[in-house]
Each structure stands twice: as C-alpha cells, then as structure tokens.
Amino acid sequence: MAAHHVDEFIVQSIASDTDIPLETVSRMYAETWAEYSEGARITDYLPVLVARRVRDNLRRRKHDPH
C-alpha cells in the first residue's frame, strides 16, 4: 500500500493515542486497508473506516490479553 499523507497522519495519531508502536499500527492499518479496499468502487471514506477498525481492534487487544 502506498501510504498517503493522510494515512501517515492517521497511523501516527492511532499509535500515539493507543501507546502502540508505530510499526504495529502501520502494519495493521495496511492489512485493514487491503481488506476494506478489495473490490471497493468508492474509497473516499476508507481512511475513516480503516482507522476506526484499527482503533477498535487495538482497544480489544489491550483489554483481552489472549
């Protein structure tokens, strides 16, 4: 995935807010982006949807150590 400026800002923001390493957040963002964008015709809202999914996954991971 070629990271856009907005994507980099979102990844940095999530990493800062969640105290998760930037590399981990970046990888999760890229994986989620690939999942969401596959077959998508309209991608205008993908950054918002992907960021929300990554944040939710990280929150769940913090609360469920298994």
Side-chain angles (χ1 to χ4, degrees):
M1 171 189 116
H4 300 22
H5 175 69
V6 173
D7 298 332
E8 291 173 16
F9 175 78
I10 292 170
V11 168
Q12 289 174 354
S13 176
I14 293 170
S16 175
D17 293 348
T18 60
D19 241 2
I20 302 290
L22 186 63
E23 298 79 24
T24 302
V25 176
S26 182
R27 180 179 41 78
M28 288 181 72
Y29 189 91
E31 290 169 358
T32 305
W33 181 277
E35 177 186 332
Y36 275 38
S37 65
E38 186 176 334
R41 291 184 186 172
I42 300 171
T43 59
D44 294 347
Y45 301 103
L46 277 179
V48 173
L49 297 173
V50 170
R52 181 178 297 152
R53 174 76 179 269
V54 170
R55 283 182 190 276
D56 289 347
N57 287 346
L58 288 170
R59 274 192 212 109
R60 259 187 248 117
R61 191 169 98 177
K62 273 188 152 181
H63 294 299
D64 182 19
H66 301 291

